[in-house]
């Protein structure tokens, strides 16, 4: 969330030593809007619905997309404490 990055490469290692790069079925991206100060992390139980109903400019977000979605869905919110 803090850096605005996305998920890591997904690798699958087989018993014979082969490593295969897997195509992710979900893509996540952080907003990159937070400082290094402590935060309170809310992982949403209802996707797309921010806790408390509103997001402030200081909040960082984690969004995700997967097949069948037209736009990213809010997954988590990091708020400065």
């Amino acid at each position: 969330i803090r850096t605005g990055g996305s998920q890591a490469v997904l690798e699958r290692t087989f018993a014979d030593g082969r490593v295969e790069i897997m195509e992710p079925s979900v893509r996540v991206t952080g907003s990159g809007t937070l400082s290094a100060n402590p935060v309170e992390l809310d992982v949403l139980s209802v996707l797309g619905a921010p806790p408390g109903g509103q997001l402030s400019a200081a909040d960082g977000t984690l969004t995700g997309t997967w097949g069948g979605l037209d736009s990213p869905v809010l997954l988590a919110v990091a708020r400065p404490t």
Side-chain angles (χ1 to χ4, degrees):
I1 293 177
R2 289 179 190 251
T3 65
S6 58
Q7 75 270 1
V9 173
L10 179 61
E11 293 182 350
R12 182 176 177 193
T13 304
F14 294 88
D16 64 4
R18 289 182 298 124
V19 176
E20 183 178 305
I21 304 297
M22 306 295 293
E23 185 65 29
S25 59
V26 175
R27 299 201 182 272
V28 295
T29 304
S31 61
T33 58
L34 293 176
S35 70
N37 296 327
V39 297
E40 177 179 302
L41 181 64
D42 290 317
V43 178
L44 281 64
S45 57
V46 176
L47 299 182
Q54 296 290 328
L55 293 174
S56 77
D59 293 341
T61 60
L62 180 70
T63 57
T65 57
W66 54 88
L69 291 180
D70 293 331
S71 59
V73 173
L74 183 63
L75 304 173
V77 177
R79 293 196 162 108
T81 55

